Amino acid sequence: MVYTVKQLADLAGVSARTLHYYDEIGLLKPAAHGENGYRYYDDAAVLRLQQILFFRELDFSLNEIKDLIDRPGFDVTSALEAHKVALQRRVERLKRLIHTVDNTLLHLKGEKEMSKRQLFEAFSEEQQAEYEKEALQMYDPAVVKTSNKKWKACTAAEKQRIGDEGNAIYTDILLAMPQGASSSEAQAGVERWRRHIEYFWVPNEDQLLGLANGYNDDPRFKANFDKIDPHLAEFMREAVKVYIKSKKKYA
Amino acid sequence: MVYTVKQLADLAGVSARTLHYYDEIGLLKPAAHGENGYRYYDDAAVLRLQQILFFRELDFSLNEIKDLIDRPGFDVTSALEAHKVALQRRVERLKRLIHTVDNTLLHLKGEKEMSKRQLFEAFSEEQQAEYEKEALQMYDPAVVKTSNKKWKACTAAEKQRIGDEGNAIYTDILLAMPQGASSSEAQAGVERWRRHIEYFWVPNEDQLLGLANGYNDDPRFKANFDKIDPHLAEFMREAVKVYIKSKKKYA
DNA sequence: TATAAACTATGACGCAGCGTCAATGTCAAG
DNA sequence: CTTGACATTGACGCTGCGTCATAGTTTATA
């Protein structure tokens, strides 16, 4: 059998352009060129194209495919095994992304319910509280409920006060920056911060550090801190490290 | 705070080129341009960049990101939900690919063991038998073992005979093509084919049709059939359909 | 202060795998 | 002989930058 471009294209379910391209890069050459310049494919080309499409389905690149079916004695098995590993890594990555999307969605919904349920506008501090609850989720979902209850039980005025308190604390810590992370000013700030956090949640030392790390690593936390000062998050992390060390020493 | 290109780039962990590009497509514009043409970014730009990178991590396209953070009141929640679905689809697809790779690897390894263990060279018919075992795997792995045992128990001469028998059957069916899929010649061929298959495995009618489908849809099956005739696989599918219908009618 | 090192700018090509015109030639049917 | 369906090559476009190339600017050092 002999096939023109369109015939082979329809047969294999690809476009004519694709066959042109495969010819261009030397992946699938027609059996013969007519004097009119037309491409004519034979049955061997059909088989080759089927192999190509098989590997293409598996997300091999056209170059890899060329190696796989051209090089005689090319190690197809280990190529497939390597490819499998690559595919698995992609799956893992995608799963992490989905998880992050889920978290973000949870956060957004929480925020919405809040702002709908009360007159209280979504202050950035309230957002911050949301974030903190989320971070906390990584430890114990049971605690989240308690935290949520506490927050809901607050009046708008109380919330306002809590938000202001948070702001004040961060400003205090900011002012302690020139004195260094181990200065008594900074450490006092961390102490106040801890008690502020404890309004929602009572973390142990490790969790406290985890939260400070989150302030640096989670872009949403980070963004809020950067609004105050671009080095605040990092400074807090250092200060918290010092804080914990001294706590553990005297424990 | 004000940042030059490199400062912001280092801060955010991206390249200067990336910032140039984001400026070019209007995704992140510097706060000011110096008289020397230099770009100068401010803290707002830092925050915006952080948001951009957050969504970029989630595999949003730069265009989508622009919409997400520029359009006021753009529905971020449903965008995220749609994105999640897209991610999930990608995961499903990758899992299928991995499964296919696994099957192919199994097949390749089986082939290798075969050719190593015996003097018997890897005839294309033996390959075909491998494929058939693989197709069968989709139904019941327990049956595979039986099939394998049977095959291994064969002498080389027996294998040769079986392979030849397969070839003869396919040739017979090929010769029946002009008479049509429902012709008695074709149906007799299917009957012989069935008994031939049953040497390895006893399929029910549905499984028989599944196998005939595999001859068309699996490129490796297809390739072998196309060597005989490009329309044989399709013809067999039709013939098997007819065969099954008549079987069920009289059942 | 002269010069070198480090930074800045714009412009352009390259990558993968084709889709999509565009301009032009060829073949089969009515 | 026309029409329409096919064929050809050539070229740009898409995504998200990496990577020169060329040229001007700022900063550090001798």
Side-chain angles (χ1 to χ4, degrees):
Chain A
M1 269 297 271
V2 68
Y3 309 87
T4 71
V5 167
K6 187 162 198 309
Q7 283 166 2
L8 179 55
D10 290 346
L11 184 63
V14 301
S15 75
R17 177 70 176 100
T18 299
L19 294 182
H20 284 164
Y21 184 64
Y22 288 177
D23 185 8
E24 186 184 330
I25 64 172
L27 181 56
L28 181 67
K29 294 216 169 281
H33 276 265
E35 35 153 78
N36 48 18
Y38 282 26
R39 293 171 177 83
Y40 293 110
Y41 297 90
D42 59 1
D43 284 321
V46 177
L47 292 183
R48 190 180 168 88
L49 181 53
Q50 272 165 4
Q51 292 192 58
I52 293 171
L53 296 181
F54 174 71
F55 288 115
R56 195 185 67 167
E57 265 299 301
L58 294 180
D59 268 16
F60 278 89
S61 79
L62 297 188
N63 266 324
E64 291 169 324
I65 295 177
K66 213 187 299 188
D67 290 344
L68 279 171
I69 57 188
D70 275 347
R71 297 206 190 165
F74 190 86
D75 190 350
V76 181
T77 300
S78 55
L80 280 172
E81 272 162 0
H83 192 65
K84 180 182 165 185
V85 173
L87 290 176
Q88 283 170 331
R89 270 204 293 265
R90 284 165 63 181
V91 169
E92 291 314 312
R93 172 161 184 274
L94 286 177
K95 281 187 180 170
R96 284 203 310 274
L97 296 192
I98 291 173
H99 186 71
T100 307
V101 170
D102 274 340
N103 275 351
T104 309
L105 279 170
L106 276 175
H107 160 62
L108 284 175
K109 281 183 183 159
E111 200 181 48
K112 236 200 211 155
E113 282 174 12
M114 285 292 182
S115 51
K116 254 196 264 168
R117 203 170 312 172
Q118 7 213 135
L119 306 173
F120 189 71
E121 284 302 315
F123 279 82
S124 82
E125 279 308 313
E126 184 175 357
Q127 246 186 25
Q128 193 76 17
E130 283 295 315
Y131 294 155
E132 272 154 2
K133 283 189 302 187
E134 181 181 42
L136 151 65
Q137 238 172 357
M138 295 187 286
Y139 301 108
D140 186 356
V143 188
V144 179
K145 285 190 184 172
T146 330
S147 161
N148 266 328
K149 269 191 199 164
K150 281 188 190 171
W151 181 253
K152 281 184 193 163
C154 290
T155 69
E158 279 172 325
K159 288 181 183 175
Q160 178 76 320
R161 192 191 56 73
I162 292 170
D164 287 347
E165 184 186 302
N167 260 334
I169 292 171
Y170 296 130
T171 308
D172 251 30
I173 295 179
L174 176 69
L175 293 175
M177 279 174 64
Q179 279 73 50
S182 20
S183 69
S184 59
E185 290 89 341
Q187 292 303 305
V190 173
E191 184 68 41
R192 285 184 66 199
W193 171 69
R194 179 182 194 165
R195 278 199 294 269
H196 176 65
I197 297 298
E198 282 178 356
Y199 186 82
F200 311 100
W201 164 44
V202 182
N204 63 30
E205 271 91 10
D206 289 335
Q207 291 168 343
L208 215 53
L209 181 56
L211 190 55
N213 281 330
Y215 287 178
N216 287 270
D217 302 334
D218 187 316
R220 298 159 306 162
F221 271 127
K222 186 69 161 58
N224 280 326
F225 280 94
D226 283 1
K227 272 185 224 159
I228 307 178
D229 186 279
H231 301 105
L232 178 56
E234 177 56 27
F235 180 77
M236 281 194 67
R237 166 157 45 196
E238 293 315 311
V240 170
K241 276 186 193 166
V242 173
Y243 176 82
I244 289 174
K245 240 187 211 165
S246 73
K247 279 287 165 190
K248 288 200 169 166
K249 202 158 76 183
Y250 295 113
Chain B
M1 270 295 270
V2 69
Y3 309 87
T4 70
V5 167
K6 186 165 199 308
Q7 285 166 2
L8 179 54
D10 290 346
L11 183 65
V14 301
S15 75
R17 176 70 176 99
T18 299
L19 294 182
H20 284 164
Y21 184 63
Y22 288 177
D23 185 7
E24 186 185 329
I25 64 171
L27 181 56
L28 180 67
K29 295 214 168 284
H33 276 263
E35 35 153 79
N36 48 15
Y38 282 24
R39 292 172 178 82
Y40 293 110
Y41 297 89
D42 59 1
D43 285 321
V46 177
L47 293 182
R48 190 179 167 91
L49 180 54
Q50 273 165 4
Q51 293 192 57
I52 292 170
L53 297 181
F54 174 71
F55 288 115
R56 195 185 65 167
E57 266 297 303
L58 294 180
D59 268 17
F60 278 88
S61 78
L62 298 186
N63 264 325
E64 291 170 325
I65 296 177
K66 211 188 298 186
D67 290 344
L68 278 172
I69 58 190
D70 276 345
R71 296 207 191 163
F74 190 87
D75 191 348
V76 181
T77 300
S78 55
L80 280 173
E81 273 161 0
H83 192 66
K84 180 181 164 185
V85 172
L87 291 176
Q88 283 171 331
R89 270 204 293 265
R90 283 165 64 182
V91 169
E92 291 313 312
R93 172 161 183 275
L94 286 178
K95 280 186 180 171
R96 282 203 313 273
L97 296 193
I98 290 173
H99 186 73
T100 307
V101 170
D102 274 339
N103 275 351
T104 309
L105 278 171
L106 276 176
H107 159 62
L108 284 176
K109 281 182 183 159
E111 202 179 48
K112 239 199 213 156
E113 282 174 15
M114 284 293 183
S115 51
K116 252 194 266 171
R117 202 170 313 171
Q118 8 214 132
L119 307 171
F120 191 71
E121 286 301 316
F123 280 83
S124 82
E125 278 309 311
E126 184 175 357
Q127 246 188 23
Q128 194 75 17
E130 282 295 313
Y131 293 155
E132 272 155 3
K133 282 191 301 188
E134 179 182 299
L136 150 66
Q137 238 174 357
M138 295 187 285
Y139 300 108
D140 186 356
V143 187
V144 178
K145 286 188 185 171
T146 330
S147 162
N148 267 326
K149 269 189 199 165
K150 280 187 191 170
W151 182 252
K152 281 181 194 164
C154 290
T155 67
E158 279 172 326
K159 287 180 183 175
Q160 176 74 323
R161 193 192 54 74
I162 292 169
D164 287 346
E165 182 185 296
N167 259 334
I169 291 171
Y170 296 130
T171 307
D172 251 31
I173 295 180
L174 176 69
L175 292 177
M177 280 173 63
Q179 280 73 50
S182 19
S183 69
S184 60
E185 287 88 348
Q187 291 305 303
V190 173
E191 184 67 41
R192 284 184 66 199
W193 171 69
R194 180 182 192 164
R195 278 199 294 267
H196 176 64
I197 298 297
E198 284 178 354
Y199 187 82
F200 311 100
W201 162 46
V202 182
N204 62 30
E205 273 93 25
D206 289 336
Q207 291 168 342
L208 215 53
L209 182 55
L211 190 55
N213 282 329
Y215 288 174
N216 287 271
D217 302 335
D218 187 315
R220 298 159 305 161
F221 270 135
K222 187 71 162 57
N224 279 326
F225 280 96
D226 283 1
K227 273 184 223 158
I228 307 180
D229 186 282
H231 301 104
L232 178 57
E234 177 56 26
F235 180 78
M236 280 194 66
R237 167 157 45 198
E238 293 315 312
V240 169
K241 276 186 193 165
V242 173
Y243 175 82
I244 290 173
K245 239 186 212 166
S246 74
K247 280 285 166 192
K248 289 200 170 165
K249 202 157 77 180
Y250 296 111

